[in-house]
Amino acid sequence: MKNFRLTLITENQNSLEKGKKFAELICETLNCENGFEISKYAKLKNSYRIEIIGKMADQNNSILESIELTDRICSPWIVNFDRTENEVELMFNKSELTNYRNENFNTLNWANFGIEK
């Protein structure tokens, strides 16, 4: 069974409660029932680091599923393809090109999505 790990860094969130609401909304969007871990992120003011671990539904096509899951949150994502493992790692950096799928996601500053081995 393949699992994914999604690390999110938020911005402009002045309370832990706001960070938790954001994390819950992301979990709901990804149909991830495992919950999350959240902690203060010291490098940015009013920001949190959120870790979500979930299960891949399609064990045979995790590349397509990875792209589809992350696209539920926002775009564009940078894709790193590992040919030997036939897996991808996706990275997001907020920019003027960012398109959030939900207006409540606009506090997302940075993200990394990868398959756990």
Side-chain angles (χ1 to χ4, degrees):
M1 170 96 18
K2 291 182 182 179
N3 291 329
F4 68 81
R5 177 181 300 269
L6 176 61
T7 304
L8 307 159
I9 304 296
T10 66
E11 64 181 6
N12 301 322
Q13 292 187 311
N14 54 8
S15 74
L16 180 60
E17 200 56 42
K18 286 184 178 182
K20 286 181 178 179
K21 285 185 178 184
F22 174 81
E24 289 167 358
L25 184 58
I26 294 289
C27 286
E28 182 181 313
T29 300
L30 300 180
N31 298 320
C32 184
E33 299 174 358
N34 294 351
F36 58 88
E37 292 181 17
I38 186 168
S39 59
K40 196 83 171 127
Y41 185 70
K43 291 183 181 181
L44 296 174
K45 184 178 178 182
N46 296 326
S47 64
Y48 290 90
R49 181 180 192 274
I50 300 163
E51 289 276 337
I52 299 171
I53 296 176
K55 294 187 187 321
M56 301 299 287
D58 186 347
Q59 300 298 307
N60 297 321
N61 200 349
S62 59
I63 293 174
L64 179 61
E65 186 175 357
S66 297
I67 293 169
E68 194 277 328
L69 284 171
T70 55
D71 190 63
R72 292 180 192 179
I73 302 168
C74 60
S75 69
W77 290 75
I78 298 168
V79 178
N80 292 314
F81 177 61
D82 182 345
R83 184 183 317 270
T84 58
E85 296 292 326
N86 198 36
E87 294 293 349
V88 292
E89 176 187 31
L90 299 140
M91 292 178 62
F92 167 78
N93 284 300
K94 186 174 192 172
S95 75
E96 66 277 352
L97 301 175
T98 299
N99 181 11
Y100 294 103
R101 305 299 182 227
N102 180 324
E103 66 184 25
N104 295 311
F105 294 160
N106 69 353
T107 59
L108 181 61
N109 180 282
W110 179 90
N112 179 273
F113 182 99
I115 303 299
E116 296 210 317
K117 303 202 178 5

